[in-house]
Amino acid sequence: MTAAATVFDNRVCELGEGPLWHPERGQLFWFDINGRRMLSRDETGPLVWHFDEQVSAAGWLDRDTLMIASETALLRFDLNSGSGETIVALEADNPVTRSNDGRADPWGGFWIGTMGKRSEPGAGAIHRFYKGEIQRLYDSITIPNSICFSPDGAFAYFTDTPTRLILRQPLDSEGWPKGSPESFIDLTAQKLNPDGAVVDAEGSLWIAHWGASRVARYTRDGKFDRAVQVPALQPSCPAFGGVGLKDMFITTATEHMDRLGSEDGLVLSVAVGITGQNEHRVLL
């Protein structure tokens, strides 16, 4: 049985996103996109790093270095010094867009979505960084989310949230799309909005349902399995971590909310009784 969600960190994020469990540090990192900050905690207590641009997602390069997606670049970020340098530009010539959801793939690549800062329809895209270069995979995306990968590397998953459709993309032997993406989970009838997602070790997807106070699990064949209710209206993304990767951390948001509950905008934790995958290392 799934335990009740508890508060992992009580700092309110307007747009909490991008939780990443660093497998070598045993430490969770996440972002407040609108607050232009990355947050974490360790044995000393809460930690925060501030940026000049919005930041949204990360992958890990080594124990002390992350790749961070900002409005205009993928950055190499040193956790000890707090300094960053550009690895590659990300739509730097387009002032309309910023980064959003992203995750490392099993080959050491990094998939990153972009979107309009005001959610302009079709303004965004999904890119893949691989072996030092970045390539656009999909155009005309409004709100890219749910980027994650099957344990065997056979599939990538993603969504354009307003479509309420999770797509499954077959991948080739180097992690590039093979053929066209296929419809996998359609949430239209339930009027659910898919946000961030992660795949567990059994190959099932856990998808945050923005505006519905829940994270739902769907099996490898796309069937609904169970849902975790969370005490926040806008869960944005789940991540596995903790001892044995059996805890689920869930970022939440207060964006566009007029009335806030006591746990809206916080990072929550729940023991789901299922093991997650380690996050893959990004290779430069």
Side-chain angles (χ1 to χ4, degrees):
M1 180 179 293
T2 301
T6 59
V7 174
F8 173 74
D9 188 271
N10 63 5
R11 289 170 287 178
V12 176
C13 292
E14 182 179 354
L15 186 51
E17 261 290 5
L20 170 76
W21 181 262
H22 194 305
E24 291 191 352
R25 298 176 71 96
Q27 184 176 351
L28 186 73
F29 297 87
W30 67 97
F31 297 89
D32 181 4
I33 296 176
N34 292 347
R36 299 183 176 186
R37 58 182 179 155
M38 180 175 73
L39 302 94
S40 186
R41 331 183 40 92
D42 63 12
E43 64 278 1
T44 69
L47 303 169
V48 63
W49 295 264
H50 295 277
F51 295 81
D52 294 331
E53 296 184 331
Q54 290 176 309
V55 285
S56 67
W60 67 282
L61 300 175
D62 56 42
R63 181 177 178 83
D64 297 319
T65 318
L66 301 180
M67 172 185 278
I68 292 178
S70 78
E71 287 182 32
T72 60
L74 297 179
L75 307 172
R76 181 186 179 99
F77 187 79
D78 187 293
L79 291 167
N80 295 322
S81 68
S83 62
E85 60 180 8
T86 297
I87 299 170
V88 65
L90 178 66
E91 298 186 13
D93 58 348
N94 186 354
V96 172
T97 61
R98 63 163 174 85
S99 64
N100 197 51
D101 190 54
R103 190 179 301 277
D105 66 35
W107 293 265
F110 189 75
W111 291 44
I112 181 67
T114 61
M115 61 176 285
K117 294 173 185 174
R118 298 183 179 180
S119 302
E120 292 89 341
I126 295 177
H127 307 258
R128 186 190 188 211
F129 172 85
Y130 185 61
K131 294 185 176 180
E133 298 181 354
I134 193 165
Q135 180 173 320
R136 184 172 299 201
L137 303 179
Y138 309 100
D139 283 309
S140 302
I141 304 290
T142 299
I143 305 178
N145 270 311
S146 299
I147 294 173
C148 52
F149 304 91
S150 62
D152 61 4
F155 300 104
Y157 302 92
F158 66 93
T159 186
D160 186 355
T161 294
T163 68
R164 292 176 166 161
L165 186 66
I166 304 291
L167 300 177
R168 184 173 68 176
Q169 173 64 66
L171 301 175
D172 68 16
S173 61
E174 288 193 333
W176 294 105
K178 181 175 60 177
S180 300
E182 55 200 31
S183 176
F184 185 60
I185 301 169
D186 190 345
L187 300 174
T188 304
Q190 297 97 319
K191 298 182 179 179
L192 293 170
N193 301 307
D195 204 302
V198 68
V199 181
D200 63 32
E202 298 176 8
S204 294
L205 272 75
W206 296 78
I207 303 170
H209 290 157
W210 178 273
S213 300
R214 73 177 203 163
V215 177
R217 185 180 193 245
Y218 297 84
T219 60
R220 289 178 294 179
D221 56 3
K223 294 181 179 179
F224 172 78
D225 175 58
R226 70 188 76 171
V228 175
Q229 295 300 130
V230 297
L233 180 63
Q234 296 178 158
S236 54
C237 192
F240 282 97
V243 178
L245 298 176
K246 293 186 180 297
D247 293 325
M248 178 172 285
F249 299 97
I250 303 165
T251 52
T252 71
T254 64
E255 186 180 50
H256 307 313
M257 292 180 63
D258 295 325
R259 299 179 61 184
L260 302 182
S262 61
E263 296 177 14
D264 287 309
L266 309 186
V267 176
L268 307 174
S269 175
V270 60
V272 294
I274 292 176
T275 303
Q277 299 183 73
N278 267 324
E279 292 291 341
H280 302 288
R281 181 199 299 263
V282 178
L283 302 178
L284 297 183

